[in-house]
Amino acid sequence: MNRRVLRLIEFVYWVLAASVVVLIVAGVLGFAAGNSLVTVKYLLFVVGFLLFGIGAIGIRPAPAAPHKEKRFSPESKSPSGFETWIQRLPPLNDHPLRFADRISRSWKLLVTSLIVLGVSLFLELGLGVTASAA
């Protein structure tokens, strides 16, 4: 299978799995707090905003000065357990993709943040979930 296609598949799996995890955790915490969808919406907004910031900082190019290094980056030299689990899904399990060949975590976090923020926006604009003024 083409390496570009495998990169895209791994990227989509990662982003969808991470988005689902964030949505489930926000849903459980929102309903546990008792305010249901309003709390879920605000949690999604805050987490989405934080993920966007982390992703945006991570995709910035490295400093031009050779003695300076990036101060913060979500990147690492080895895959996490989450990423290892994704590699077990078909078709990646039959065509392993080297860690160095994968799309960066920063881009994955940035796209995940857009999905999470999109769900938060949909809850507000599409479903009318707003905090009632007392």
Side-chain angles (χ1 to χ4, degrees), residues 14 75 93 98 113 133:
W14 197 103
E75 306 301 328
N93 60 348
R98 292 181 329 136
S113 75

Side-chain angles (χ1 to χ4, degrees), residues 8-132:
L8 183 60
I9 290 170
E10 191 268 342
F11 178 80
V12 169
Y13 282 176
W14 197 103
V15 168
L16 289 178
S19 299
V20 167
V21 167
V22 169
L23 295 173
I24 289 172
V25 169
V28 168
L29 291 175
F31 284 104
N35 294 339
S36 65
L37 287 177
V38 174
T39 305
V40 172
K41 179 188 74 151
Y42 287 124
L43 281 171
L44 290 175
F45 176 76
V46 169
V47 170
F49 190 76
L50 290 172
L51 289 175
F52 185 85
I54 293 168
I57 289 170
I59 65 172
R60 291 184 333 188
H67 63 280
K68 291 188 176 182
E69 58 185 58
K70 267 188 171 178
R71 297 208 178 233
F72 173 79
S73 175
E75 306 301 328
S76 74
K77 305 237 185 262
S78 62
S80 66
F82 175 69
E83 291 164 328
T84 303
W85 173 77
I86 288 175
Q87 288 297 306
R88 293 186 199 136
L89 300 174
L92 299 173
N93 60 348
D94 293 333
H95 307 283
L97 190 60
R98 292 181 329 136
F99 184 68
D101 292 339
R102 300 175 195 169
I103 296 172
S104 76
R105 281 186 196 147
S106 299
W107 281 105
K108 293 171 185 172
L109 286 173
L110 190 68
V111 174
T112 300
S113 75
L114 295 176
I115 291 172
V116 171
L117 288 169
V119 172
S120 175
L121 183 65
F122 174 74
L123 285 172
E124 182 157 353
L125 299 179
L127 300 179
V129 176
T130 58
S132 58

